Amino acid sequence: MTSRFGRRTLAALAVLGAGLALAGVSVAASGDQEKKPRPVRASVVGSAEFVLPYHQDKDVRSFTFDAQAAPYSRPLPGIPGGLPTDARGTVTVSHYSAEQDTTYTSKGRVDCLVTGVRTATLTAVITEVSPGGPPNVGKRVGFSVYDGGDSKGEGKGAGKDRVGFSWNGVNLLPKGSTPPEEAPVGTCMAPAPYAPVTKGGYTVAHAELPPPPPSAKGSAKSSAKGSTGPTGSSPE
């Protein structure tokens, strides 16, 4: 009887041990799933319509982004190794004018992208404008994006995602008594995403700006050194 009881006890302990082992594997697998690696390169993709909170009309405005980070890929005078914010991709701007019953489009080449968690700013140089559109070929424009995640509504991000852009009165140079002019847009410069998305949405994949590769370290350091202040000097 003692022998039989011992065998039963050992069998029960073996089953318990196997169960604990499987539970440990399950927990470990769950932990691995939660610790998803961040993307190697940042990106902003998607297409959405939005409204201007300060101007109500029947026009339909939309931006389409397909932008990917390409660090240290765009040499500049004095910065032959490029910058960590270098990027590539395309931007399409669409504006349906209800008054003219016409849709105007512009396309641009992305040259800069920087992201944070759910946020991004990017710039693009306009390469193409449809007939009747503004003469913006060769001009750099800026965009900002807030990725609000999935939501109910007409599409992904509807009601949560937001965009901003560098024209239409948000990037002016006041000059005393003369009417202000629109200021030039530098790389990766854009206002906060102030316009709510009404249809469609955007996905921002965040990644930290990478250090320069060995071949570009000298130029990257020289371009970044002492540039934290507004005039190129570090604040005291």
Side-chain angles (χ1 to χ4, degrees), residues 161-228:
D161 288 9
R162 304 176 71 88
V163 292
F165 50 99
S166 64
W167 62 94
N168 208 10
V170 299
N171 183 42
L172 301 178
L173 281 176
K175 294 184 177 180
S177 59
T178 60
E181 298 178 358
E182 192 170 285
V185 175
T187 56
C188 275
M189 292 293 101
Y194 56 86
V197 163
T198 56
K199 184 178 181 180
Y202 302 106
T203 299
V204 174
H206 170 55
E208 303 294 350
L209 294 176
S215 60
K217 279 187 176 180
S219 57
K221 284 184 178 180
S222 64
S223 65
K225 184 178 180 181
S227 60
T228 54

Side-chain angles (χ1 to χ4, degrees), residues 20 70 75 137 185 206 234:
L20 290 174
V137 173
V185 175
H206 170 55
S234 299

Side-chain angles (χ1 to χ4, degrees), residues 1 12 41-42 54 85 96 103 120 131-132 144 147-150 193 231:
M1 181 179 291
R41 293 286 183 262
Y54 54 85
T85 53
Y96 168 74
T103 298
S144 59
D147 176 1
D150 293 332
T231 60

Side-chain angles (χ1 to χ4, degrees), residues 25-182:
V25 171
S26 177
V27 170
S30 176
D32 291 341
Q33 291 177 357
E34 291 177 0
K35 295 180 180 179
K36 295 180 179 178
R38 285 187 174 180
V40 177
R41 293 286 183 262
S43 65
V44 180
V45 296
S47 183
E49 296 177 5
F50 60 91
V51 294
L52 301 178
Y54 54 85
H55 181 68
Q56 305 300 317
D57 57 25
K58 295 182 179 180
D59 291 8
V60 180
R61 302 169 176 85
S62 70
F63 296 148
T64 299
F65 302 124
D66 183 10
Q68 301 84 33
Y72 307 103
S73 63
R74 303 176 62 84
L76 293 171
I79 315 175
L83 295 168
T85 53
D86 289 344
R88 62 172 177 265
T90 58
V91 167
T92 301
V93 178
S94 177
H95 182 179
Y96 168 74
S97 169
E99 182 180 356
Q100 301 293 330
D101 192 24
T102 302
T103 298
Y104 301 99
T105 59
S106 300
K107 295 182 180 180
R109 183 186 69 253
V110 174
D111 64 358
C112 189
L113 170 67
V114 63
T115 63
V117 178
R118 293 188 178 276
T119 63
T121 60
L122 63 152
T123 47
V125 176
I126 299 299
T127 58
E128 181 182 338
V129 178
S130 65
N136 288 339
V137 173
K139 179 180 179 181
R140 178 179 289 105
V141 292
F143 305 88
S144 59
V145 178
Y146 171 70
D147 176 1
D150 293 332
S151 65
K152 297 179 180 179
E154 294 188 55
K156 186 267 175 196
K160 288 189 176 182
D161 288 9
R162 304 176 71 88
V163 292
F165 50 99
S166 64
W167 62 94
N168 208 10
V170 299
N171 183 42
L172 301 178
L173 281 176
K175 294 184 177 180
S177 59
T178 60
E181 298 178 358
E182 192 170 285

